[in-house]
Structures are given as structure tokens and as C-alpha cells.
Amino acid sequence: MKPERVVENENVYTLVEKIKEGDREAFMTVTRLYQKKVFLLAFSYFRNKEDALDIVQETFLRFYQKADMFHKGRNFQSWLLQVARNICIDYYRKNYSRESTFNRERNIDEMNLPATDSNESHGSSDLKEPFSSCLEKLSEKQRMIFVMKHYNQLEYREIAQILNIALGTVKSLHFKAVQNLRALMSPYLGRQT
Amino acid sequence: MKECKKYQKNLVAFLYGELQGDEKKSLESHLDTCSLCRSELDRLKEVKNGADSLNPEIENVMASIDWEALQEKISEAAFEEGTSMIRQSWLRSFLQSIFQPKLRPVYAGLFLGILIGAAVAFMIFRTPHLQVVKNGEIIVPQSFLEWAELEMARRNTIDYLERSQYLLLDFVQSSLDESAGFWQSNYASQKARDLLSKKKYINQQLDKFHMAKAKAICDQIELLFFELIQISEQISMAELKRIQDLIVERQVLLKIKIVKKELEKSEV
């Protein structure tokens, strides 16, 4: 899951300038370089391949339409992931918010609660579903920060840029996200918190 | 314990490689000596391991995607939808330069000015009209009556000036011999009398609507006709000559023409 640092900013600026003039090749290059990063963010957030692919497509279409709004000096990856993040949130509110309460209830039932007398630690594959459900229970911001940090392996500094919040706030929200996940995961980790 | 609390706040950042320099060294040396914080770190590592449990699935899903095809599909969608947009990019940048956010108050002021101007112009220039209500009754607004009265005054004055102009023109252009006969004929004196009685009628209108310029010239004409009628029966050549010269000297006909034109344009 190590995302490679794709391209130097100077090269991206050149590509974006070409895209503004309608260069299709440049657009395809940028899409090739960043589509996996956007997918990783969207898939980690939604845990659904089709939704994540929709997000990827919508993000690059939005980028193409708003390329004029990207100015030299900004970090392109942060800017693009900011666009992706906004689309994720809109998409979530449009398609998931109505069923979220129902799903949460259902997820708790489906979480294969461990026997109360069990003291054994679970293997990592057993943690997949419970962890996924616990992640969904985090607040929108904590969840997004956790996903960006853990799966996209972004630095706090980059997350702060994307979410347009202070570095200290990112650090504090990430801390809270991990603490909350630990509390939610405690029944599956075989320990008391 | 108090010291541990301080270090535990940094454990998540440490776990995710965000701690550097002295902060990192200090935490590491604390962890060497504090079993409580080490066990706290282990618990946090379990969360990280839980998050890692999704990695195989993510890798499988990513491996199942045809990235080349996706890239092609996105590009096709963007360029199909965006062709017209790119063509119009010059228009967009032009509009963006005109409608800059800092100029918004100026545009708002202009728009407001135009609205107020249009409203004022409408109030001034609108033609009053009759309102017919459902059951056939006609409501005549006060503004309509005033407008109709002013319009009648204007038309009556124009008519008076026009008729006077022709009569005076006939008089001025004819020779003295003809003039004597002209004023002794019933035709001219009757016309002059008609005009004098009409003047009495339009006097009220001229006063009411403050048509000062028109009133001045109408008064002059009235005096002329009055004099001509008074003396028409025993008029002498010398008197006729004096009146003709007076008309020419005071440029009465020119004045009539000007006032008439002004009235026709409603400028009085």
C-alpha cells in the first residue's frame, strides 16, 4: 500500500497548463498518475468498488472543468484530493445518509461478536469486517483523516492542506480517531480498554 | 502518571511516523522505562493492525481494475462533455475578468441606479389610461383627467395659433388697398371675432397649466385682432400700415411659428 510520489510539482504544472489549452494527452497522463490515489481514498472511505470508481471518474471530470482554478504554487495532489474528498462527502450524503442508521444497526448484528469468555487475540483477517464497521462509525472528519493517514499515507501537513484546517487539529483529530477505533474494536481485540 | 499523559498524547503521531527530533527521542526514552505507555502503544498498534487487515482486500480490488481502460473512459467523458467548454474558455476568462468579485458593489450600484431610473421614467412618461372594471364600470383616475385637460389645452392653443397665423399672414402679405377691403369684409372680421371668443376659452387653460410663453403670444394676437375689428369699419390706410409694420416689427408671425412648434413637441 505504499503510494509512490508520482511526479514533481513542476511537471504537473506544465501538464495542467496543457490541459487548460485542451491537451487530451496531458489529461490522460495526469489521470494515469493520480487515479489510483483517488481510488484508494474513495475505496477506503466507502469500501465499495463501484462507488469508488464513480468517485474517481467524477473527480477527474471536475478537475477538467475547474482546471482554470488550479494555480501554480499549490500542491497538485492536495488540490486534487481536496476535490475528491468533497465529492466523497457529497456522494455519501446523497447515497448513504438515509440508510446509514439502518446499516449501523445491522452492522452491529453482523459483526460476529466474540464470546465473552474468550481471551484469545484475533487474527488480522478476522478483524476485517469488524474494523470496517467500526471505521464507518467514526465522524465524517475523523474517518476521512484516518483514511488519508493510514491508507493514502499522507503527512499531517498534506491532510491539513486538503481539509483546510490547522496542523494541530489534524493531529488531534487523528488521535481521537485512533482512540475511538480502539474503544469500538475492544470486543474484538480480546482486551479491556 | 502525569508525565505519561503528556507522552500518551503523542503516541498516535509516533506510531504513524509524524514525530521528529527531540519529541521523538524523548518519547522513545520514556517508552524504554515506562511499561504502562508501552502497553498503551501496543493497544494502538492493534488498531493499526486492524486497519491493515483491509489491505489485502484493497490490493485485490485495485488489481482487478483495468486502469488503462478507466483512464481512457474518463478522458473520453471529459473531452466529450468539455469540448464546447474549452472552445468557450476565452469567453469564460473574459467574463471572469469583467465580473471580478471586487467589482460587485459597482455592478450592484449600477443595477440599482438603472432600476430607479427606469421607475422614475415610467412614473413621468407613462400615459394615463382608463381602467375598466369587471362589471363594465369605468374608473377615471385623477391623473387621466389632468392629462386629458392638458392635452386639450395644448391642442386648442395650437389650433388658435394656426388659425391666427393664416389670418395675419393674409393681412401682412396683402397690399394696403386689399387690406382695407379685407378687414371690411365679413369673412375676415368674423374670423377674427371667432378667434377672440376662442381666446377667452383658452385663457383659463393657459393660466391653469402655466403655459406662459404661449399665453404671451396669444395675448399679443388678441390685442391685434381687437384693434383690427374695432377700427375695421372706418379704417384708414395709415392705420393699416401701422398695424402691418407692427406685426412685422415684433416678428409676431415668427413667434407664433416657434411657439406652435414647441407646443407640438409639448415643450411649453
Side-chain angles (χ1 to χ4, degrees):
Chain A
M1 286 285 86
K2 292 266 177 198
E4 71 269 44
R5 294 274 156 201
V6 280
V7 65
E8 291 297 320
N9 260 331
E10 274 309 314
N11 294 338
V12 179
Y13 294 148
T14 315
L15 287 169
V16 174
E17 283 309 311
K18 286 183 179 173
I19 291 167
K20 286 179 188 175
E21 288 160 16
D23 188 327
R24 190 170 178 159
E25 277 305 310
F27 179 73
M28 283 185 66
T29 307
V30 170
T31 309
R32 191 179 66 245
L33 291 170
Y34 290 93
Q35 59 186 354
K36 287 184 186 173
K37 283 171 177 293
V38 175
F39 181 85
L40 193 57
L41 178 75
F43 185 77
S44 314
Y45 194 79
F46 289 103
R47 297 283 320 287
N48 180 305
K49 183 181 166 185
E50 298 312 315
D51 289 345
L53 286 172
D54 282 351
I55 299 290
V56 173
Q57 177 153 342
E58 188 57 34
T59 300
F60 284 98
L61 288 179
R62 191 84 60 92
F63 155 61
Y64 182 65
Q65 286 161 1
K66 301 195 181 240
D68 283 342
M69 291 170 79
F70 176 74
H71 298 295
K72 209 172 172 177
R74 283 196 73 176
N75 181 315
F76 179 74
Q77 178 176 281
S78 300
W79 185 78
L80 189 72
L81 289 179
Q82 190 174 37
V83 174
R85 175 253 180 187
N86 290 339
I87 293 169
C88 279
I89 288 169
D90 287 347
Y91 194 91
Y92 183 82
R93 286 178 186 160
K94 218 180 273 176
N95 300 296
Y96 284 78
S97 53
R98 277 188 205 158
E99 51 180 293
S100 61
T101 319
F102 168 74
N103 274 351
R104 276 178 196 174
E105 296 305 318
R106 195 191 59 186
N107 287 337
I108 288 169
D109 295 338
E110 288 173 357
M111 269 158 67
N112 298 324
L113 288 167
T116 44
D117 58 349
S118 167
N119 282 326
E120 287 173 26
S121 193
H122 290 250
S124 71
S125 61
D126 295 338
L127 290 174
K128 199 178 85 177
E129 285 310 315
F131 181 80
S132 183
S133 301
C134 292
L135 188 59
E136 264 186 49
K137 289 184 175 64
L138 292 183
S139 73
E140 198 174 274
K141 217 163 210 173
Q142 284 184 23
R143 185 167 151 203
M144 186 58 84
I145 287 174
F146 185 84
V147 162
M148 284 176 171
K149 185 68 206 161
H150 191 91
Y151 298 106
N152 281 75
Q153 299 190 353
L154 298 176
E155 292 173 13
Y156 282 166
R157 182 182 47 82
E158 290 173 291
I159 298 173
Q161 269 183 7
I162 294 168
L163 300 181
N164 203 16
I165 54 177
L167 192 70
T169 313
V170 175
K171 188 179 170 186
S172 144
L173 284 170
H174 185 228
F175 175 80
K176 281 181 191 163
V178 175
Q179 291 287 358
N180 286 337
L181 280 171
R182 191 184 67 164
L184 289 163
M185 289 288 290
S186 61
Y188 311 97
L189 298 172
R191 293 182 188 216
Q192 295 298 312
T193 49
Chain B
M1 278 301 281
K2 204 177 175 185
E3 208 186 18
C4 286
K5 217 170 182 180
K6 187 185 91 183
Y7 284 114
Q8 280 174 9
K9 277 190 176 175
N10 279 333
L11 282 178
V12 172
F14 175 73
L15 190 62
Y16 277 88
E18 286 280 350
L19 225 53
Q20 266 139 27
D22 290 344
E23 255 186 330
K24 188 182 175 185
K25 278 180 194 161
S26 163
L27 179 62
E28 276 170 344
S29 54
H30 176 77
L31 284 170
D32 285 342
T33 57
C34 180
S35 59
L36 195 72
C37 287
R38 269 204 311 277
S39 104
E40 179 67 15
L41 182 66
D42 286 344
R43 288 182 189 183
L44 294 177
K45 276 181 185 167
E46 283 179 338
V47 174
K48 201 174 181 228
N49 290 339
D52 283 339
S53 69
L54 299 185
N55 284 349
E57 186 196 346
I58 294 174
E59 279 163 9
N60 285 340
V61 170
M62 287 186 76
S64 72
I65 294 168
D66 184 347
W67 295 103
E68 288 286 318
L70 179 66
Q71 173 192 329
E72 196 72 44
K73 187 181 157 193
I74 292 171
S75 162
E76 214 161 274
F79 279 80
E80 264 176 29
E81 280 181 17
T83 320
S84 59
M85 190 183 66
I86 288 291
R87 280 194 203 123
Q88 288 170 9
S89 63
W90 64 270
L91 180 67
R92 201 174 50 205
S93 49
F94 174 70
L95 289 175
Q96 273 172 358
S97 67
I98 288 182
F99 294 106
Q100 292 170 30
K102 62 180 177 184
L103 291 176
R104 276 181 196 160
V106 178
Y107 291 126
L110 274 176
F111 181 67
L112 200 66
I114 290 169
L115 270 186
I116 292 170
V120 170
F122 174 75
M123 294 300 285
I124 292 172
F125 295 111
R126 70 176 173 161
T127 307
H129 58 275
L130 292 172
Q131 289 174 357
V132 180
V133 292
K134 270 182 186 173
N135 54 10
E137 287 176 7
I138 295 173
I139 295 172
V140 183
Q142 186 62 28
S143 58
F144 177 80
L145 284 176
E146 281 174 10
W147 173 81
E149 224 172 318
L150 177 66
E151 186 60 18
M152 278 177 68
R154 192 177 72 86
R155 290 185 190 182
N156 281 333
T157 313
I158 291 172
D159 180 59
Y160 174 79
L161 289 172
E162 203 165 59
R163 282 160 64 184
S164 308
Q165 188 186 17
Y166 291 141
L167 199 60
L168 291 174
L169 204 62
D170 280 349
F171 171 55
V172 173
Q173 284 176 349
S174 53
S175 66
L176 285 176
D177 291 341
E178 285 169 348
S179 287
F182 179 74
W183 285 108
Q184 278 158 9
S185 70
N186 269 342
Y187 170 78
S189 58
Q190 189 55 47
K191 272 205 162 182
R193 279 194 190 89
D194 286 350
L195 285 168
L196 280 173
S197 58
K198 190 174 176 74
K199 171 72 173 46
K200 277 180 194 161
Y201 170 70
I202 64 170
N203 264 349
Q204 288 176 341
Q205 294 173 325
L206 290 171
D207 285 339
K208 185 173 178 183
F209 296 107
H210 309 291
M211 295 157 82
K213 231 192 279 181
K215 188 169 188 316
I217 190 72
C218 288
D219 285 348
Q220 276 191 26
I221 298 166
E222 188 185 23
L223 280 173
L224 278 171
F225 287 147
F226 195 69
E227 203 168 341
L228 285 166
I229 290 165
Q230 289 283 316
I231 58 175
S232 59
E233 287 179 14
Q234 61 272 15
I235 201 156
S236 69
M237 293 293 180
E239 277 169 327
L240 276 175
K241 179 82 178 99
R242 185 181 60 81
I243 295 171
Q244 269 186 346
D245 289 346
L246 197 71
I247 292 170
V248 175
E249 190 187 320
R250 292 192 184 173
Q251 295 181 312
V252 176
L253 285 168
L254 182 66
K255 284 178 190 167
I256 290 174
K257 205 173 168 186
I258 291 168
V259 173
K260 210 176 78 182
K261 278 208 168 168
E262 285 180 359
L263 276 174
E264 278 163 357
K265 290 183 201 163
S266 300
E267 283 179 358
V268 175

